[in-house]
Amino acid sequence: MTLTVTDVKRIADLAYIEIDHGEAEAVLTQLTGIFNLIETMQSIDTSSVDPMSHAQSVTQRLRDDEVTETNQRESCQAIAPQVEAGLYLVPKVIE
Amino acid sequence: MQWEIVIGLEVHAQLSTQSKIFSGASTGYGALPNTQACVIDLALPGVLPVLNRGAVERAIKFGLSVGATINSPSIFARKNYFYPDLPKGYQISQYELPIVQGGIVLIQIEGGEKIIRLTRAHLEEDAGKSLHEDFHGMSGIDLNRAGTPLLEIVSEPDMRSSAEAVAYAKTLHSLVRWIGICDGNMQEGSFRCDANVSVRPCGQEKLGTRCEIKNLNSFRFLEKAIDYEARRQIDILEDGGVIRQETRLYDANKDETRTMRSKEDANDYRYFPDPDLLPLEISPLWIDQIRSSLPELPQIRKERYVSELSLPAYDATVLTNSREVGDYFESTVKLLPAQTKLCANWVMGEVMGQLNKEGIEISSCPIMPAQLAALLTRISDGTISGKAAKTVFESMWQGELGKDVDALIQAKGLKQISDDVALEGLIDQILSAHPQQVSDYRKGKEKAFNSLVGQIMKATQGKANPTQVHSILKNKLEQ
């Protein structure tokens, strides 16, 4: 798979990262390198290997369904830039 | 051209746990903003999710009740998108290896049953709520809902009309409540549907381009939104246009759907396994324990009502719509096993009718199954007529005389006249007072018979036992 500058700009867009054209070119070279590495790895036959979904071979611990958290709104909101009526205020997200 | 509508549904059922899926904050509805949003829900640095056993258990319950495969291991994935009510910048969901795979749901449609196949059902967390009212040009964020456990149930595109989609959604809705994994409260958003709708010329195999309609929170809106959307797509195609794949919103006030976002700017969620969560292993022993804790499922109970209680399929369906109604009926019929149809009629008719009228649930029904059975016993042993029983029922509902059936019958003088001698004497009087009808009947006018029955009922204020009246009258007229 060949990556283009357009792909890089789209990925940047999805990740909300602002990059200029020069940076995009540089990132393209780096990403292409990573893609080549992946291609090399994919040429290895792994059909007899179980897919690894986590770096450790342990399984998920579960907790009992109990309410253990108390209301910490005051301390949480103490570090928020802006709050009102118990709400966190953010720049308007709807047109 | 004849068009076929193709529908698949995604249903989000909020799981009825006390605490959130990855944190110990409460899931209670209606709390003051952000009082139930802990540091994990807020995604403060350094916090880690810990999975709630209750949420997993409910997902397994669902899987078992639709005959699905429970995947073990099952994997949690990050679904990446940016929105302020999602503080982590991703939603923890499942992508590959969802907890529930496959399964079927049987729906009741005109002329029989239909199988709707399920693709999958996966666990995920809900997002918070954004309030766009004016906060000095800003949006307000309430994260109480963030982290609430959801089970997203995805069907195959097996439905062919809005009626089928509604039947499917209702069946699921009743099932999740029946097995106790979701309260089903649609006003509070505990059960919401997204519909994927496409159309194709009848007979064509290839599916048309689909549009997804988001957040339908009532069965009526689901039906109307699908009907509108199918009509819209057919109109475009008949005018030679093409359907754009997009996400649409249903506007209930205008009864139309409109574009929310199109495929071109659709999110590319870049799913990947969440490194904060390990693969979820579910032991066969745990599955067995959950299986043995499941109640008798509605489908099984429905079949039993037909085969063992000889009820019509329609009655069996209505009585198994909710477990509470089914249990109420069952407790009644247990006391009156020879009168299954009479019990079914009264539960579906008087009881449900009165509950609907007063807008209350069967759990708050003022008449207990034993009291209903006592009343129905008096119909079946001929003490009172069905009509009189309705009067007694109303009085019981109001709590008169301690809801004592026999005391009410006595007090209201509703006891039927079932004494043959008394009835014969009375009927003789009526016959001699109405010679015209008697001779009409004897000349073959069947109607005269009913008129005479009417006279007898009038004379006894409706208390004469109708079956006896019929046979005595017939005997006398044919002498």
Side-chain angles (χ1 to χ4, degrees), chain B residues 323-456:
Chain B
R323 196 166 145 196
E324 290 73 24
V325 171
D327 288 349
Y328 185 99
F329 166 70
E330 201 121 321
S331 309
T332 311
V333 92
K334 206 164 268 172
L335 299 165
L336 210 59
Q339 298 286 348
T340 58
K341 181 62 180 145
L342 181 69
C343 293
N345 287 348
W346 274 75
V347 173
M348 294 190 301
E350 300 305 309
V351 176
M352 306 247 296
Q354 197 63 32
L355 291 172
N356 282 341
K357 210 159 112 192
E358 301 195 5
I360 55 175
E361 296 293 321
I362 199 155
S363 52
S364 340
C365 181
I367 298 178
M368 294 287 112
Q371 294 164 328
L372 180 66
L375 174 63
L376 301 186
T377 303
R378 290 292 169 258
I379 302 178
S380 68
D381 68 12
T383 308
I384 52 172
S385 66
K387 192 162 166 264
K390 287 180 186 175
T391 310
V392 178
F393 180 86
E394 278 161 29
S395 306
M396 288 168 80
W397 193 278
Q398 301 307 327
E400 287 175 33
L401 294 180
K403 303 176 194 175
D404 183 321
V405 173
D406 291 332
L408 282 164
I409 294 171
Q410 187 70 37
K412 295 186 179 287
L414 292 169
K415 202 167 180 315
Q416 281 191 130
I417 304 169
S418 302
D419 177 347
D420 273 347
V421 181
L423 281 176
E424 284 197 30
L426 180 84
I427 289 171
D428 284 336
Q429 282 174 29
I430 300 280
L431 292 182
S432 53
H434 298 85
Q436 186 61 47
Q437 276 97 324
V438 175
S439 79
D440 280 354
Y441 178 78
R442 290 188 170 134
K443 279 184 212 147
K445 279 194 183 167
E446 289 285 333
K447 265 191 185 163
F449 186 83
N450 291 335
S451 154
L452 286 167
V453 171
Q455 294 298 335
I456 296 161

Side-chain angles (χ1 to χ4, degrees), chain B residues 136-155:
Chain B
H136 333 289
M138 302 183 85
S139 289
I141 307 294
D142 175 10
L143 294 169
N144 278 351
R145 205 179 59 187
T148 298
L150 301 177
L151 187 68
E152 179 174 334
I153 305 159
V154 184
S155 84

Side-chain angles (χ1 to χ4, degrees), chain B residues 30-43:
Chain B
L32 289 171
N34 292 308
T35 53
Q36 293 176 171
C38 71
V39 291
I40 295 175
D41 309 322
L42 296 178

Side-chain angles (χ1 to χ4, degrees), chain A residues 10 14 53-54 59-60 62-69 71 73 76 82 84 86-90 92-93, chain B residues 17-20 23-24 33-34 50-53 75 82 84 132 135-139 141 275 278-279 281:
Chain A
R10 175 170 158 70
L14 284 169
S53 42
H54 200 274
T59 56
Q60 180 61 41
L62 299 174
R63 43 166 262 275
D64 289 336
D65 178 25
E66 282 166 9
V67 176
T68 52
E69 297 288 341
N71 176 15
R73 184 171 85 181
C76 289
Q82 220 176 328
E84 189 177 312
L87 300 164
Y88 294 92
L89 295 193
V90 298
K92 205 161 184 92
V93 285
Chain B
T17 54
Q18 299 298 308
S19 64
K20 293 187 177 174
S23 83
N34 292 308
V50 186
L51 185 55
N52 182 340
R53 186 191 312 280
I75 306 292
F82 291 104
H132 303 296
F135 293 100
H136 333 289
M138 302 183 85
S139 289
I141 307 294
L278 296 160
E281 298 270 4

Side-chain angles (χ1 to χ4, degrees), chain B residues 24-79:
Chain B
S26 167
T27 54
Y29 181 82
L32 289 171
N34 292 308
T35 53
Q36 293 176 171
C38 71
V39 291
I40 295 175
D41 309 322
L42 296 178
L44 293 192
V47 299
L48 283 173
V50 186
L51 185 55
N52 182 340
R53 186 191 312 280
V56 177
E57 189 173 281
R58 283 167 178 78
I60 297 172
K61 265 191 178 177
F62 176 77
L64 294 177
S65 69
V66 293
T69 303
I70 308 298
N71 276 328
S72 179
S74 167
I75 306 292
F76 286 91
R78 291 185 179 180
K79 177 179 179 178

Side-chain angles (χ1 to χ4, degrees), chain B residues 98-112:
Chain B
I99 184 161
V100 173
Q101 193 133 30
I104 56 158
V105 169
L106 277 176
I107 62 165
Q108 200 72 40
I109 55 167
E110 227 172 291

